[in-house]
Amino acid sequence: MPTYEIAGRQILILAILVLYVGTFLTKHFPFLRRNNIPESVTGGIICSVIITILALYEVVELDFNLDLRNLLLLIFFSTIGLNAKLKFLLRGGLALLILTISCGIFLVFQNGIGVVVAKSLGYNPVFGLFGGSIALAGGHGTAVAWGDIMASTGVRGVSEFGIACATFGLILGGLFGGPLAGLLIRRHNLQPSQADLEEAAAIQTDETGKPHHRVTIDDIIFTIFCLALCLGVGDAVNRYLFEYNIRLPGFLTAMMVGVLLTNLADTTKIDLNHEGIDLIGGVCLQLFLAMSLMSMDLLSLADSFILLFTTMIFQAMFAMLFGFFIVFRMMGSDYDAAMIVSGFFGMGLGATPVAIANMDAVAKKHGPSVRALLIVPLVGAFFIDIVNAFTIQAFLRLPVFF
């Protein structure tokens, strides 16, 4: 069977075509539009299914080089940082703490469910952690890192199972996060705050009320310069921390540099064009998700299908119930809370970009939420990883793992 590598401009072209397919389907199928399912998720899943069928029948096998995807992730989180002004961070202080605590409670139950399911089906309980917060809240990178650790202790196959769970979680997080928020909005007749609507309107219209775009060539060049600083300085910080065995994800340091830059610019009265930053961030997010989903290896899910299917059913049901009854109420039972629930579901089962894509899809239909778009990325990019690390370590000390 011939094998072709898809990299560079080829993966970019394919990702854009995937987005076009997702946009076309969303436009012509009301179910997708009504349930706020991101176009990148729809197109990406269809592409991965087609590629899997081609490989299954030995027509062709595609090998994806995801270096460009990883760069897009760094740029996207840099735009999040460049939009995180201190005055907005202070506005979300208490809500940030509440959501972090909620996620900590959720991670404990998530691991508990994974361990119970694995034990019930006769698997090593370590598989339960990989069907819990290691792969779902942690994502593919965390699953691979912990898989190497477990392999050194003699536990085999958990890394592949964790990657499968992370992949499945990515799909479920993108498919059901938007519909869950939509259900809450309709049930409680929620509306975005007037302040958020006015801020969105200010971006879209000028003094006469006519639509406009205040993005010039100079704005884009300066924005690219700021993003390059985020990536370059963030990488330098990471290299310095690695020497002291402090390992942080690259997107986190890039985002923190962005937070520093935007607040320095605010203090020194340097104007950053946030509309341009938002446009670049949105492009990178959609392309990142399209590349992630279209490159999924669905054949790898077959080896542990029963455990995988059972685990993900229970995890998805619990995440929905937890978001619907706990997170929504703890975050205030308002429109912002419903938006946060859509992000929480994408973050708890998939990844932070999925959470933001969910919220973006809901915002396009129902209206913006500044608080949600500020709090969820911060929790997903930083706080949940810290809480998750402590949670995993605590579970591994339980007698069932000895």
Side-chain angles (χ1 to χ4, degrees), residues 175-204:
L175 284 177
F176 294 106
L180 188 60
L183 177 61
L184 286 168
I185 291 170
R186 291 189 297 271
R187 172 171 289 193
H188 298 280
N189 194 26
L190 302 175
Q191 299 290 335
S193 68
Q194 189 61 35
D196 286 353
L197 290 174
E198 289 175 356
E199 185 170 335
I203 293 174
Q204 296 171 359

Side-chain angles (χ1 to χ4, degrees), residues 111 114-116 118-119 123-135 146-147 149-151 153-159 161-162 165 307 392 395-396 400-402:
N111 282 330
V115 171
V116 169
K119 288 281 289 182
Y123 284 82
N124 188 316
V126 171
F127 279 83
L129 292 182
F130 280 80
S133 70
I134 288 180
W146 277 99
I149 294 173
M150 293 303 170
T153 65
V155 182
R156 305 293 179 184
V158 289
S159 182
F161 177 70
C165 286
L307 177 60
I392 295 167
F395 265 84
L396 287 173
V400 70
F401 292 98
F402 295 139

Side-chain angles (χ1 to χ4, degrees), residues 285-286 339 342 355-365 373:
L285 173 62
Q286 293 299 323
M339 183 76 83
S342 72
I356 298 172
N358 287 347
M359 294 189 295
D360 182 59
V362 176
K364 287 179 180 178
K365 181 176 181 181
L373 288 171

Side-chain angles (χ1 to χ4, degrees), residues 74 76-84 89 96 226 229-231 233-235 237-238 241 248-264 374 377-383 386:
L74 293 176
F76 166 70
F77 274 104
S78 297
T79 64
I80 294 294
L82 289 173
N83 277 321
L89 291 173
L96 190 69
C226 291
L229 284 177
C230 291
L231 270 59
V233 177
D235 181 65
V237 171
N238 258 344
L241 293 176
L248 296 176
F251 64 79
L252 178 59
T253 50
M255 186 180 75
M256 289 298 103
V257 174
V259 173
L260 179 63
L261 284 178
T262 192
N263 285 283
L264 283 176
L374 171 67
L378 285 173
V379 173
F382 183 62
F383 293 106
I386 296 176

Side-chain angles (χ1 to χ4, degrees), residues 70-336:
N70 298 334
L71 175 62
L72 291 171
L73 180 66
L74 293 176
I75 297 173
F76 166 70
F77 274 104
S78 297
T79 64
I80 294 294
L82 289 173
N83 277 321
K85 291 188 177 182
L86 183 59
K87 58 184 178 182
F88 292 148
L89 291 173
L90 294 176
R91 277 173 54 185
L94 180 60
L96 190 69
L97 177 62
I98 293 173
L99 183 58
T100 301
I101 294 173
S102 301
C103 288
I105 298 171
F106 172 76
L107 294 178
V108 173
F109 282 98
Q110 190 176 62
N111 282 330
I113 290 171
V115 171
V116 169
V117 172
K119 288 281 289 182
S120 299
L121 295 176
Y123 284 82
N124 188 316
V126 171
F127 279 83
L129 292 182
F130 280 80
S133 70
I134 288 180
L136 299 182
H140 291 80
T142 306
V144 172
W146 277 99
D148 292 340
I149 294 173
M150 293 303 170
S152 67
T153 65
V155 182
R156 305 293 179 184
V158 289
S159 182
E160 292 78 8
F161 177 70
I163 292 172
C165 286
T167 301
F168 214 99
L170 204 66
I171 297 172
L172 293 178
L175 284 177
F176 294 106
L180 188 60
L183 177 61
L184 286 168
I185 291 170
R186 291 189 297 271
R187 172 171 289 193
H188 298 280
N189 194 26
L190 302 175
Q191 299 290 335
S193 68
Q194 189 61 35
D196 286 353
L197 290 174
E198 289 175 356
E199 185 170 335
I203 293 174
Q204 296 171 359
T205 61
D206 58 18
E207 294 79 2
T208 64
K210 296 180 180 179
H212 75 295
H213 294 283
R214 294 178 180 173
V215 181
T216 66
I217 294 176
D218 289 339
D219 291 330
I220 293 296
I221 291 175
F222 186 61
T223 300
I224 293 174
F225 173 69
C226 291
L227 292 171
L229 284 177
C230 291
L231 270 59
V233 177
D235 181 65
V237 171
N238 258 344
R239 291 176 183 272
Y240 175 78
L241 293 176
F242 281 176
E243 294 179 1
Y244 296 92
N245 204 28
I246 301 174
R247 298 185 177 275
L248 296 176
F251 64 79
L252 178 59
T253 50
M255 186 180 75
M256 289 298 103
V257 174
V259 173
L260 179 63
L261 284 178
T262 192
N263 285 283
L264 283 176
D266 209 28
T267 303
T268 56
K269 307 300 181 184
I270 297 175
D271 184 33
L272 293 179
N273 189 289
H274 291 282
E275 186 179 0
I277 293 171
D278 288 338
L279 287 173
I280 293 175
V283 170
C284 291
L285 173 62
Q286 293 299 323
L287 289 174
F288 168 82
L289 285 175
M291 292 178 186
S292 297
L293 289 163
M294 73 187 192
S295 61
M296 292 187 304
D297 182 11
L298 297 180
L299 291 177
S300 66
L301 307 181
D303 295 335
S304 53
F305 179 76
I306 295 177
L307 177 60
L308 172 67
F309 180 80
T310 307
T311 299
M312 294 310 303
I313 287 294
F314 279 102
Q315 294 288 16
M317 290 175 60
F318 173 70
M320 285 183 184
L321 293 173
F322 193 89
F324 200 89
F325 292 105
I326 304 298
V327 174
F328 180 66
R329 294 178 181 179
M330 290 186 71
M331 298 309 300
S333 301
D334 55 8
Y335 180 81
D336 290 339

